[in-house]
Amino acid sequence: MLECLERGCWETGSDWKREGGLGGGSGAEGNRCSWECVRYREGALPAKLLSAPRNRLEGKVLETVGVFEAPKQHGKYETGQLFLHSVFGYRGIVLFPWQARLYDRDVASPVTEKSENVAGHGSKEVKGKTHTYYQVLIDARDCPHISQRSQTEAVTFLANHDDSRALYAIPGLDYVSHEDILPYSSTDQVPIQHELFERFLMYDQTKVPPFVARDTLCAWQEKNHPWLELSDVHRETTENIRVTVIPFYMGMREAQNSHVYWWRYCIRLENLDSEVVQLRERHWRIFSLSGTLETVRGRGVVGREPVLSKEQPAFQYSSHVSLQASSGHMWGTFRFERPDGSHFDVRIPPFSLESNKDEKTPPSGLHW
């Protein structure tokens, strides 16, 4: 998490510089801290930060990129809102919001009795709660800083040809929840470096925020809505490790006289404790409506065995699954290792794989 400079907590890629304490007076303005968003840059360390830990800042300089705004407790952020990601620290800008159903197994209804479900283990029924998520652009300058903690090409599409396994990715797109956003404002007319920024957004100083959607963004969103929208988010915590899963239907392809249905799923692992742990294994079970049950075991995830610590508490990645049926379920466990060598399993909340049966047109990719 990003914390203030006074606490001596420095994250690679971004930090806060506190310019003042809690304001006097009353009301929201009077109780707001005065903060500035700052970033690491090459160069000499500024004199006023010489008291900060030098080992993480050697050869770097902090550069102001904007003025921090009070996070919204209610409502949603609009297209064009600049922000820092509260977990991964990158600069981003909101393209558009999504209304998702969040199934949080940590707050399951206490009046519901336990029952066995298709996921194969007893669990309380979980009712979905509406929660706001956002489609955002990631600043390309920050991608190198977060590449070991979060994939920067997590949004994928099926290719527009006969190869049912071919995928292509859109770099620098992400999905973030409302609480991930630390909003700020900037006088820079091009504050985010991304190849789609000026195609999707334009500067209008009469607006707040001053970046408004171009027709190309509206058309792209409408064209690819079925393949971009997230509808369900699943979350569960075990041993202070919180797992969040967001599944996306990607479409159907025909292969060898059969239909193959594809999904991608984005997973975030968060360590809510101060103890350092490392992900060692994954164990998936995949149930298809056709009646098959597949078990998948392997080392780590996407070729990595991430360490989750107080300084780097989260890891986020995406993967894919295909079924020869229009729906199914996935669930499983991640095995973590503690510093003393002991292991423990963290539950992956069961989630449905549902196809958009009413959609006849395959994912169409980028169209300007």
Side-chain angles (χ1 to χ4, degrees):
M1 293 291 183
L2 301 179
E3 298 187 35
C4 72
L5 176 60
E6 291 181 341
R7 297 174 189 161
C9 178
W10 294 90
E11 296 291 342
T12 301
S14 86
D15 272 296
W16 296 102
K17 175 180 62 179
R18 188 166 185 176
E19 296 292 348
L22 287 170
S26 60
E29 295 297 327
N31 291 317
R32 186 190 307 175
C33 287
S34 174
W35 298 80
E36 286 185 328
C37 305
V38 292
R39 314 295 298 193
Y40 292 163
R41 287 294 179 269
E42 298 296 331
L45 192 68
K48 62 183 175 181
L49 295 179
L50 287 176
S51 60
R54 294 295 302 272
N55 58 331
R56 299 289 295 277
L57 293 172
E58 198 69 44
K60 305 287 184 177
V61 66
L62 296 176
E63 178 183 288
T64 301
V65 298
V67 178
F68 179 72
E69 299 175 350
K72 288 187 176 182
Q73 301 301 317
H74 305 286
K76 66 179 185 293
Y77 297 103
E78 303 297 331
T79 296
Q81 176 65 60
L82 294 166
F83 70 94
L84 289 185
H85 195 293
S86 65
V87 176
F88 299 112
Y90 64 72
R91 285 165 289 184
I93 191 166
V94 171
L95 294 181
F96 40 79
W98 298 116
Q99 290 300 308
R101 293 186 300 273
L102 173 61
Y103 297 91
D104 193 339
R105 306 181 81 82
D106 300 330
V107 292
S109 173
V111 300
T112 307
E113 294 183 358
K114 287 187 176 182
S115 60
E116 290 291 325
N117 55 28
V118 69
H121 61 271
S123 178
K124 292 180 179 179
E125 179 183 347
V126 182
K127 293 184 178 180
K129 180 180 180 180
T130 301
H131 195 72
T132 304
Y133 278 72
Y134 300 92
Q135 191 91 61
V136 306
L137 290 181
I138 302 173
D139 194 306
R141 293 168 293 184
D142 297 335
C143 289
H145 297 297
I146 66 172
S147 60
Q148 294 301 312
R149 291 291 159 185
S150 180
Q151 289 178 332
T152 57
E153 296 186 350
V155 178
T156 52
F157 285 81
L158 290 173
N160 295 319
H161 52 74
D162 294 335
D163 185 352
S164 65
R165 296 182 61 85
L167 303 170
Y168 66 89
I170 304 174
L173 274 182
D174 198 6
Y175 295 87
V176 303
S177 67
H178 187 81
E179 58 268 22
D180 288 335
I181 287 183
L182 297 173
Y184 73 92
S185 60
S186 172
T187 57
D188 190 345
Q189 294 188 19
V190 187
I192 300 296
Q193 289 189 12
H194 191 288
E195 61 180 342
L196 299 180
F197 179 83
E198 292 185 271
R199 290 185 177 183
F200 281 169
L201 300 160
M202 60 183 174
Y203 182 77
D204 185 342
Q205 63 180 355
T206 66
K207 303 292 185 180
V208 178
F211 305 99
V212 297
R214 294 183 183 271
D215 291 342
T216 49
L217 175 59
C218 300
W220 184 75
Q221 179 189 5
E222 181 179 0
K223 187 78 173 178
N224 296 284
H225 181 278
W227 326 109
L228 289 171
E229 182 180 17
L230 75 168
S231 58
D232 295 341
V233 180
H234 304 265
R235 191 159 66 193
E236 184 170 5
T237 303
T238 309
E239 300 274 354
N240 288 314
I241 304 297
R242 183 165 62 195
V243 180
T244 303
V245 184
I246 308 176
F248 298 85
Y249 177 59
M250 298 178 64
M252 181 270 293
R253 289 289 186 268
E254 294 187 6
Q256 298 178 347
N257 298 320
S258 66
H259 291 167
V260 178
Y261 298 82
W262 280 86
W263 291 264
R264 74 177 182 272
Y265 53 91
C266 297
I267 293 184
R268 185 192 294 185
L269 304 169
E270 295 178 84
N271 185 359
L272 306 180
D273 199 3
S274 58
E275 182 180 48
V276 178
V277 296
Q278 184 169 11
L279 175 63
R280 291 302 192 185
E281 299 177 11
R282 68 187 185 278
H283 177 201
W284 282 107
R285 304 193 78 184
I286 307 167
F287 174 80
S288 171
L289 187 63
S290 62
T292 61
L293 179 62
E294 183 180 2
T295 298
V296 178
R297 290 183 179 271
R299 295 285 295 181
V301 290
V302 293
R304 302 182 187 177
E305 297 181 22
V307 174
L308 304 183
S309 63
K310 185 178 180 180
E311 292 73 28
Q312 300 283 359
F315 180 80
Q316 183 171 289
Y317 75 97
S318 293
S319 192
H320 305 86
V321 63
S322 63
L323 301 177
Q324 291 185 326
S326 59
S327 64
H329 283 80
M330 288 181 66
W331 69 99
T333 56
F334 292 120
R335 175 154 293 185
F336 281 83
E337 182 178 349
R338 300 185 179 93
D340 63 6
S342 62
H343 295 83
F344 64 99
D345 289 336
V346 171
R347 291 185 297 274
I348 305 170
F351 57 95
S352 297
L353 302 171
E354 299 292 344
S355 63
N356 300 344
K357 296 180 180 179
D358 295 334
E359 296 294 339
K360 304 301 182 182
T361 304
S364 53
L366 292 170
H367 288 272
W368 314 114

